[in-house]
Amino acid sequence: IKHSVAIIGAGIAGLALARRLSGFAEVTIFEKSRGTGGRMATRRGEHGSFDHGAQYFTIRDPAFHDALEPMLDNGTVQAWSEPLHRMGADGQVEKLEDRSPRFVAVPSMTALAKSWASALNFQTETQIRKISGEPRRWLVETEDERFGPFDWVISSAPAPQTAALMPFKEPEQAMLREVRMNGCFTMMIRLPDDVLLPFNACQVEHDRLSWIGANNSKPERDAAPCIIVHANNEWAQTHLDSALDQVRENMLAALTTILPNLPLASAMNVALHRWRYASVEQPLGEAFLLDEDRQLAACGDWCMGNRVEAAFISGHRLGDALTSIIKENAA
Ligand code: FAD
């Protein structure tokens, strides 16, 4: 009989893990939101489409490259070849030397997760609130439903949510407490047609802002100018519970000072998204967390750091470890 595995979270880490385990275990993924992809996200509305989480990703790891190869072939993953700029604290903009190519999913960042998710077993709109039962017979509970028993439960939620949810003991709890994540705000601005930015991708050194990008400059997006502005993570962390209107005004004021010619007064819409756990300030320093005796584990970008690729590697390597354990148990 195959091991049954519950995975909490359908971001890139949870999906990478589920893909690696398929064939070895009976996997069910529980995801609190309506869709998959987690922080690799797209918001669509009447004012256009905005990748409001991860802007792009690198493909340096061979396993990540292998997993993406079919999508690189069929165009679901494409290079975003816009030059990357950097605006210094003095407002000067320079074009950065080309580093690793930057990739995006097409036609929106959610396309990658959707493509992987189609072969996996999901419960969406299912927020897990409690793990009960006992080792090897874990129950996974929402407010009014209970699933299981499962041999293994694995969380791919951000570290603070994983710490609150999972019945880890020491030393895992202490290790989770050491991980620090910061919030972020993403402002999504729809400008009138024909407005051009002085750049389409720019890291910003500013006490309130960290990134300005034109979503419409990515491959196969809508042509209308859809501008993404990310807050500086430290500033966001100290304003996480401020009123959203106030945060938006603060970010708009900062944008006006650094790009005074941008016709913000004629913006057709300015929306704001709050990410409570956006980036990793202090990672775990190991690829995943595993309590083999009690059959609990956790993965996510917070293990190795801050990027889509790190999230994939964490889920994939945990999958490698679990398949070895499952094979040993079967032998
Ligand atoms: P997540 O994507 O957070 O997935 C966790 C999932 O768990 C979520 O879907 C969540 O809904 C679900 N979940 C949580 N709790 C529960 C529960 N109790 N029950 C059920 N489901 C639950 N990375 C880059 O490489 N390049 C970038 O340019 C970049 N820019 C970024 C900009 C922003 C604003 C943000 C927020 C992130 C950015 N990142 C970037 C980081 C990148 O998005 C993340 O590293 C990566 O997507 C994390 O994947 P994950 O699977 O570890 O976590």
Side-chain angles (χ1 to χ4, degrees):
I1 303 168
K2 278 188 184 164
H3 282 227
S4 57
V5 178
I7 299 178
I8 296 156
I12 297 301
L15 293 174
L17 170 64
R19 278 167 51 85
R20 184 69 186 84
L21 290 180
S22 64
F24 293 94
E26 236 22 280
V27 178
T28 310
I29 310 178
F30 298 94
E31 168 56 52
K32 70 177 173 190
S33 62
R34 255 179 300 152
T36 57
R39 277 171 277 156
M40 191 156 146
T42 305
R43 185 188 283 191
R44 267 175 228 86
E46 55 173 317
H47 296 289
S49 163
F50 296 84
D51 298 327
H52 62 309
Q55 295 303 293
Y56 59 81
F57 50 89
T58 49
I59 312 178
R60 298 189 183 103
D61 180 81
F64 194 37
H65 185 270
D66 287 351
L68 295 182
E69 196 146 31
M71 286 184 253
L72 286 162
D73 288 343
N74 72 17
T76 306
V77 170
Q78 295 183 26
W80 182 29
S81 47
E82 283 297 320
L84 188 59
H85 293 77
R86 179 164 189 83
M87 181 186 282
D90 56 2
Q92 295 296 316
V93 177
E94 57 168 338
K95 197 166 132 185
L96 293 181
E97 289 294 311
D98 259 339
R99 295 180 295 187
S100 293
R102 292 173 294 283
F103 293 89
V104 295
V106 173
S108 71
M109 283 306 246
T110 47
L112 193 165
K114 269 190 203 149
S115 166
W116 281 347
S118 61
L120 301 169
N121 179 24
F122 276 97
Q123 295 271 343
T124 50
E125 294 182 86
T126 308
Q127 176 164 13
I128 303 309
R129 300 209 178 257
K130 192 174 164 196
I131 313 297
S132 59
E134 56 192 273
R136 294 154 209 263
R137 292 187 54 77
W138 297 113
L139 300 172
V140 164
E141 299 184 25
T142 65
E143 205 139 61
D144 45 25
E145 262 183 296
R146 182 183 276 183
F147 301 89
F150 293 97
D151 296 305
W152 287 86
V153 177
I154 297 153
S155 172
S156 71
Q161 294 171 325
T162 290
L165 182 64
M166 294 287 282
F168 279 122
K169 294 197 166 161
E170 301 300 344
E172 287 82 12
Q173 283 292 1
M175 291 168 77
L176 274 168
R177 279 196 298 274
E178 295 291 309
V179 176
R180 279 199 308 280
M181 297 184 76
N182 280 330
C184 190
F185 293 100
T186 301
M187 199 160 60
M188 293 159 268
I189 308 175
R190 166 70 158 87
L191 290 172
D193 293 351
D194 304 330
V195 172
L196 288 175
L197 293 184
F199 40 68
N200 284 320
C202 188
Q203 299 169 351
V204 180
E205 223 176 284
H206 187 276
D207 56 4
R208 272 181 241 170
L209 308 181
S210 66
W211 169 262
I212 302 171
N215 211 76
N216 47 302
S217 71
K218 294 180 181 176
E220 297 182 32
R221 265 54 176 186
D222 297 339
C226 289
I227 312 305
I228 297 276
V229 182
H230 289 321
N232 171 312
N233 285 117
E234 282 164 31
W235 180 82
Q237 186 60 28
T238 56
H239 290 78
L240 262 192
D241 295 312
S242 303
L244 290 185
D245 282 348
Q246 205 183 328
V247 171
R248 184 170 46 196
E249 289 317 308
N250 269 324
M251 288 178 68
L252 277 172
L255 189 60
T256 306
T257 52
I258 61 176
L259 289 179
N261 295 328
L262 207 61
L264 285 174
S266 50
M268 294 148 85
N269 196 51
V270 180
L272 191 77
H273 183 85
R274 171 174 38 215
W275 299 99
R276 199 160 276 284
Y277 306 108
S279 68
V280 185
E281 191 188 319
Q282 175 64 50
L284 183 72
E286 293 175 26
F288 50 80
L289 207 54
L290 174 63
D291 179 345
E292 191 176 333
D293 288 341
R294 299 175 70 233
Q295 302 199 166
L296 297 171
C299 60
D301 65 342
W302 49 269
C303 293
M304 299 299 284
N306 222 14
R307 293 181 303 113
V308 170
E309 191 162 10
F312 174 86
I313 292 170
S314 175
H316 188 79
R317 297 221 180 126
L318 176 57
D320 284 343
L322 292 179
T323 46
S324 312
I325 293 171
I326 290 170
K327 277 189 207 155
E328 266 170 38
N329 287 351

